[in-house]
């Protein structure tokens, strides 16, 4: 069963990892897809080609989500290509692991601007378009298990993921009257570019695996079903919710 037939889905950070999997997964469910990305031109274009091979339409729009102007341009390009916006997956993010005591100001600033400010501007721009269309919509923010628990080398990152979930809660209230649902997915540890270096440490990777009751770290495809569900009419009474997708890592105290 195709859950997103006829819908236009926008995904930020769609060139690699979770965003790419979500974009292709949405296309498999019948959506046309616009992806935003920052630097990976080849990967963005191959994502578009993969979606087109599925028989759906796709565009890639390059832009830094931390720049407030990027969001308006992304939405405008999607509307020019497909005529409307039904779903936003706000996913773009960075996690430059670093210790607290010597954290550079620039690293804190950049992480906040990309992960939180970027999400805010994208949600606002997509919501404006959805309100203008007058037919509701769905917004899914890729938050994290890190919204709920800390990380020694993520003191600048975990507050952005808590912030993104909080943004979805408040946006759910602000946009409910327009029929726009806003939810978060909270992935656990998923094997992508963002943690390739961190998990190259065999001991760290084995430790993270040992904390996961389902016995393995996640793949980007593990996040697709939850995103598609929240984007679809199957979740028509779900808003302001957080869906943890972590193989059980969070509940594994002992
Ligand atoms: N992997 C994990 O374990 C987890 C990840 N997450 C979250 O998932 C999201 C996706 O990360 P993941 O797939 O793992 O990592 P990846 O590094 O594979 O993907 C990150 C994506 O974000 C894009 N991006 C980065 N900075 C910007 C920017 N300034 N403007 C626009 N796009 C940007 C990248 O584009 P480009 O390559 O073109 O630069 C890429 O498409 C993040 O928000 C992350 O916090 C949450 C929980 C766990
Ligand atoms: C980058 C981390 O490995 C990843 O991102 C998160 O949000 C979680 O903390 C994961 O472990």
């Amino acid at each position: 069963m195709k859950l997103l037939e006829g819908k236009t889905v926008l995904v930020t950070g769609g060139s690699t990892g979770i965003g790419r999997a979500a974009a292709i997964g949405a296309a498999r469910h019948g959506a046309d897809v616009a992806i935003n990305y920052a630097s990976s031109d080849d990967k963005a274009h191959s994502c578009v080609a993969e979606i087109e091979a599925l028989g759906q339409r796709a565009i890639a729009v390059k832009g830094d989500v931390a720049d407030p102007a990027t969001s308006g341009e992304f939405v405008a390009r999607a509307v020019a290509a497909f005529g409307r916006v039904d779903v936003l997956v706000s996913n773009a993010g960075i996690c430059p692991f670093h210790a607290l005591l010597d954290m550079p100001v620039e690293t804190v600033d950049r992480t906040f601007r990309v992960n939180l400010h970027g999400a805010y501007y994208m949600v606002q721009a997509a919501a404006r378009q959805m309100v203008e269309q007058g037919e509701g919509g769905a917004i899914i923010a890729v938050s994290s298990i890190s919204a709920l628990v800390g990380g020694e080398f993520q003191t600048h990152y975990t507050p952005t993921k808590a912030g993104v979930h909080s943004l979805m809660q408040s946006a759910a209230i602000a946009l409910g009257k327009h029929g726009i649902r806003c939810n978060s997915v909270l992935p656990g540890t998923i094997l992508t570019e963002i943690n390739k270096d961190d998990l190259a440490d065999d001991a760290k990777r084995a430790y993270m695996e040992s904390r996961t009751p389902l016995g393995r770290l996640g793949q980007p495809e593990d996040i697709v079903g939850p995103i598609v569900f929240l984007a679809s009419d199957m979740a028509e009474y779900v808003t302001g919710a957080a869906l943890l997708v972590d193989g059980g890592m969070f509940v594994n105290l002992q």
Side-chain angles (χ1 to χ4, degrees), residues 95 97 144-146 154 157 188-189 194-195 198 208:
C95 182
F97 286 77
S144 171
I145 189 175
S146 297
Q154 295 177 306
Y157 172 79
T189 297
I194 208 172
N195 50 28
D198 186 49
M208 298 303 278

Side-chain angles (χ1 to χ4, degrees), residues 23 34 41 47 70 84 93 106 175:
D41 297 316
C47 180
T70 298
R84 56 186 296 109
E106 299 74 27
L175 299 173

